[in-house]
Amino acid sequence: MVQVQGSFVHPTRMANVTLHQTVGTLQLLSSSGIHCQVGNNSVRLLPKDLKVQVRFSKRGPNSFGEKKFNVIQASASLTSVFDHVLSPSNKGTHESLKKSNEAALILIRHGESLWNEKNLFTGCVDVPLTKKGVEEAIEAGKRISNIPVDMIFTSALIRAQMTAMLAMTQHRRKKVPIIMHNENEQARQWSQIHSEDTLKQSIPVIAAWQLNERMYGELQGLNKQETADRFGKEKVHEWRRSYDIPPPNGESLEMCAQRAVAYFKDEIEPQLISGKNVMIAAHGNSLRSIIMYLDKLTSQEVISLELSTGIPMLYIFKEGAFIRRGSPMAPTEAGVYAYTRRLAQYRQKLDEMLN
C-alpha cells in the first residue's frame, strides 16, 4: 500500500488535495459529505478527521494496485499552495492541458561546494557552498529574476537547497521559498501557515532524494587527482564519464537517470502540464539525466554534456514539448521573451507593479 497525505482549509472553501504519488486529485467542495472521483473510483469524504481507503483495480498498464489515502483536516496549510496534480488515468484532460498550457522550467546546478573547492569526490555527502558558490547562486538568481516561479524542487542535499534559496532572494516578485516538511504528521502540523495572505506570497519547495547527485560509492571523499594517480586516469575517467559503468559500490549515470527521470515524470512534469512554472536546483548528474530526457539525447551524447555551476538553463514547455531557450541573460534575454508572449506579459506586469 502507498500512503498519501493531504490537507484542506476551511470546509466551505474549495481547495485541492495533492496526491504526491501521482495517482489523482481529490477536490473538497462542501462541508457536507463530499463525493470525489479518482479515475474510475468514487470516494466520499466528510469534513471531520478521517481515513479513506481507496482500492484500485489492477487492470491496464496504468493500474496502481491498492492505494491508501489519509485525509487530515487543517485550518490552513502550505499544502493549499498547490493546485491539482493530474491523474495519469485521466488521459483526456492530461492531453488537452499538454496542448493548451505553457510553462517555464528552470534548471540550476548548485554553486561551488567546499568539496568542489578541495577537488574531492562529493556524491551524496552533504556539504555546503563556498563563498564563491554563494555568489554563483545569487548571480543565478539575478538571471532568472524576471522568470515566473510557482514551485521549486531541490535535492535533499544542502548545497542544492542553498542555491535555490539564495537564487530566490534576487527574484523581483519577492515571494518567499518555504521548504515543505512532510516527514511525519507532527512536522506537517508544526509547519502549517495560518494566513492566506502569507500563503499567496510563498513558494513551496519540495526536497527529494531522487534529485541527489549520483552516489560515488568508495570514491566519496577521495581527492580526484590522487584517485587518478592510484587507479589510472583512464579508469577514473571511465567511472566519471561512462554511462553505465559505476565506480566501486556506487551509481552509474544510468542508475542516477533511472531515479531522477522517473521522479521528473511522476512529480514535476504534471505540474508543468497544469501550467505551473518550476525551478529545479540539483546536481551535475541528476540534471544531465533530466536534460537527456528533455532533449532526447542518446547515452553517448549525454556523457559529453557539461553543466556549469550556478548557470540557469531555461526551457519552455508548450504544446507537449520542451524547447530549450538557453540561459536568460543579456543579450539573449530579449530573444527569450520574444519567443513567448506569456513570459513577456509576466515581465511587463512585474515592471508595472514595481515601478
Side-chain angles (χ1 to χ4, degrees), residues 43-103:
V43 184
R44 187 171 182 82
L45 303 180
L46 301 174
K48 300 293 184 181
D49 290 356
L50 53 86
K51 290 186 178 180
V52 178
Q53 182 164 304
V54 183
R55 295 180 185 275
F56 292 86
S57 66
K58 294 186 179 180
R59 299 173 186 172
N62 291 326
S63 88
F64 298 102
E66 186 175 322
K67 308 290 180 183
K68 184 177 181 181
F69 300 93
N70 279 348
V71 180
I72 301 164
Q73 186 175 8
S75 59
S77 96
L78 191 57
T79 310
S80 62
V81 172
F82 288 103
D83 286 334
H84 63 278
V85 175
L86 292 170
S87 166
S89 63
N90 192 353
K91 286 187 176 181
T93 305
H94 184 96
E95 292 301 323
S96 174
L97 282 171
K98 261 191 174 185
K99 294 177 181 179
S100 63
N101 281 321
E102 174 186 307

Side-chain angles (χ1 to χ4, degrees), residues 215-231:
M215 201 271 284
Y216 270 100
E218 295 177 17
L219 301 187
Q220 291 184 169
L222 301 184
N223 181 277
K224 293 178 182 178
Q225 183 57 52
E226 292 176 358
T227 305
D229 294 340
R230 177 182 173 187
F231 294 99

Side-chain angles (χ1 to χ4, degrees), residues 20 24 34 45 70-71 87 112-113 121 150 152 176 192 237 240 251 260 277 315 324 341 350:
H20 293 286
I34 302 161
L45 303 180
N70 279 348
V71 180
S87 166
E112 182 189 67
S113 75
F121 285 102
D150 301 312
I152 300 172
V176 178
Q192 284 182 23
H237 182 78
R240 296 185 65 190
E251 283 186 308
N277 302 289
Y315 284 81
R324 191 200 292 195
R341 180 182 297 179
L350 278 179

Side-chain angles (χ1 to χ4, degrees), residues 63 87 124 173 184 190 206 221 229 266 328 335 340:
S63 88
S87 166
C124 287
R173 189 65 180 81
N184 53 52
W190 285 20
I206 297 91
D229 294 340
D266 291 344
T340 163

Side-chain angles (χ1 to χ4, degrees), residues 181-194:
H181 285 284
N182 291 314
E183 304 91 277
N184 53 52
E185 181 54 29
Q186 179 173 293
R188 278 184 290 274
Q189 292 289 338
W190 285 20
S191 61
Q192 284 182 23
I193 296 173
H194 299 277

Side-chain angles (χ1 to χ4, degrees), residues 164-180:
M165 296 300 196
L166 289 167
M168 290 308 297
T169 65
Q170 304 302 304
H171 201 281
R172 294 176 69 200
R173 189 65 180 81
K174 299 302 181 185
K175 287 190 175 184
V176 178
I178 299 178
I179 294 179
M180 304 285 287

Side-chain angles (χ1 to χ4, degrees), residues 240-261:
R240 296 185 65 190
R241 289 301 180 211
S242 65
Y243 182 68
D244 56 1
I245 301 175
N249 294 315
E251 283 186 308
S252 64
L253 178 56
E254 181 180 33
M255 295 162 70
C256 177
Q258 287 173 350
R259 58 173 164 84
V261 174

